[in-house]
Amino acid sequence: VLPKQGVIDQVAFQASGHDWTVSRKPIQVIGGNEIPNFFAVVRSDTQEALGVVGKDFRELQNWTMYEIGNSLVTEGQALYETAGVFGNGHKVWCMLKLPQDFDVVAGDKIESYVTIVNSHDGQSKLRIFPTAIRVASKATLNISARGAETIVAVKHTQGMSERLKTVHEVLQIVRDEFGEMMKASKFLSKKKLTSQKVDDFLKKMLPILNSGKKVSNKTAAIKAKLLGFYEYGTGNDIPAVKGSAWAMFNGVCEYVDYARPTRTFVGDKESHQRAEALLFKGGAEMKQQAFDILMKI
């Protein structure tokens, strides 16, 4: 939890857990020759290798992430709230609260944030994207109402400094995205689902249900959980929400955030894997898929 303040200074940065740097180090075979054109990205405080990168990769230090955040604070009255790391630091992130909250229906509030994620493993870009959180369920509604092009992404290459100069445009992109999300969520709240539409949705989410093949116990369990969160998920008992496409979407989000099975790896925590999945991997894809289907069904 970061100090709730405006611009982050060096004191607050030291408290964030991100007060370390990375550098590229040559790689060599044990007892042998150096491997040309490949480098390990090494964390300064622990000397851990966070990833292997090619010769074109350029380090983007953690402080740069806060320089971006500080520009958003200055331009848009955003406030820092939280920060953290995935795994041993292969990805680092911070989240800023924005003043663009809205009610989908009376009593169903959505809070708006912007998330900045920097990677040191060579597997992904620096990304800046809007993140909505439903107050009732604390589920993360990280979908794009207008498509993936609304996410700002910067490659770790020589030209990244020029790309970062356009970051002043980020706030307007985020505002536009939340405007679109507000309209989409209100549209979904007014769309009531018949039992047939619920069935159609589940078959699109889990195509094997419509294939004529035997349904595995795993798929049957996912279907049951999605139905359960749709009918009994936190906040889905609000009269104007119950039985709507909005209830179904939030049921999927709550399932992804709290119940979807998460693969863990040696030395990592389930919470890290779940968070990374719901922001970038299969969990995020499942939410976007559900949103796209429900907007059209």
Side-chain angles (χ1 to χ4, degrees):
V1 177
L2 294 171
K4 289 192 175 181
Q5 63 182 64
V7 172
I8 288 285
D9 55 22
Q10 286 291 339
V11 174
F13 177 60
Q14 290 171 4
S16 72
H18 292 157
D19 187 20
W20 41 271
T21 60
V22 295
S23 59
R24 288 177 296 162
K25 302 285 179 111
I27 301 174
Q28 67 180 48
V29 178
I30 295 175
N33 296 326
E34 186 176 302
I35 301 173
N37 298 323
F38 286 94
F39 303 86
V41 180
V42 177
R43 181 170 166 165
S44 62
D45 56 345
T46 64
Q47 295 302 305
E48 288 182 270
L50 305 180
V52 175
V53 299
K55 59 183 177 60
D56 294 328
F57 181 89
R58 295 294 181 270
E59 305 94 307
L60 191 62
Q61 303 298 343
N62 294 339
W63 175 246
T64 303
M65 185 171 70
Y66 288 92
E67 288 181 328
I68 295 170
N70 286 345
S71 71
L72 298 181
V73 169
T74 303
E75 294 185 28
Q77 298 83 51
L79 289 175
Y80 287 96
E81 276 209 357
T82 52
V85 302
F86 292 126
N88 59 358
H90 65 276
K91 283 189 178 70
V92 297
W93 58 270
C94 65
M95 185 178 285
L96 295 88
K97 179 74 177 65
L98 298 173
Q100 288 179 273
D101 301 344
F102 62 89
D103 286 339
V104 179
V105 300
D108 196 3
K109 185 178 181 180
I110 303 298
E111 293 185 331
S112 59
Y113 295 82
V114 61
T115 303
I116 308 173
V117 180
N118 186 26
S119 70
H120 299 301
D121 58 4
Q123 299 300 308
S124 55
K125 306 171 183 178
L126 178 138
R127 299 176 66 192
I128 308 167
F129 54 92
T131 302
I133 295 179
R134 190 187 189 204
V135 173
S137 62
K138 298 300 181 186
T140 306
L141 317 181
N142 55 306
I143 50 93
S144 176
R146 300 189 303 167
E149 73 275 0
T150 59
I151 296 173
V152 177
V154 182
K155 287 184 177 180
H156 289 69
T157 56
Q158 200 161 8
M160 67 182 176
S161 57
E162 289 300 315
R163 181 73 181 90
L164 285 171
K165 289 180 181 178
T166 66
V167 79
H168 66 277
E169 302 169 9
V170 170
L171 204 56
Q172 188 57 51
I173 293 173
V174 171
R175 285 172 178 157
D176 291 346
E177 181 66 19
F178 276 115
E180 292 298 317
M181 185 172 184
M182 181 175 67
K183 289 189 286 186
S185 58
K186 289 179 180 292
F187 171 76
L188 292 178
S189 71
K190 294 174 182 176
K191 183 187 286 192
K192 297 302 177 181
L193 296 183
T194 63
S195 57
Q196 182 60 55
K197 284 189 175 181
V198 169
D199 190 55
D200 290 344
F201 170 78
L202 291 171
K203 287 178 178 176
K204 288 179 183 294
M205 288 295 294
L206 305 167
I208 195 170
L209 297 176
N210 202 34
S211 68
K213 297 179 181 178
K214 183 180 178 180
V215 177
S216 67
N217 292 337
K218 179 181 177 181
T219 300
I222 294 173
K223 176 184 176 182
K225 286 181 179 179
L226 291 177
L227 281 171
F229 280 114
Y230 164 58
E231 294 174 351
Y232 306 111
T234 309
N236 283 356
D237 59 346
I238 298 172
V241 173
K242 190 173 181 63
S244 69
W246 177 242
M248 181 63 83
F249 173 64
N250 282 285
V252 172
C253 291
E254 195 169 358
Y255 165 75
V256 169
D257 285 12
Y258 298 106
R260 184 173 179 264
T262 302
R263 181 183 299 176
T264 57
F265 301 93
V266 175
D268 202 359
K269 297 179 180 178
E270 181 181 354
S271 58
H272 287 172
Q273 291 296 328
R274 183 177 296 279
E276 194 164 5
L278 70 88
L279 284 175
F280 307 111
K281 299 178 181 177
E285 292 169 2
M286 189 173 187
K287 291 180 185 183
Q288 188 69 52
Q289 180 188 11
F291 175 80
D292 293 340
I293 292 170
L294 289 166
M295 288 296 290
K296 297 175 183 176
I297 202 169

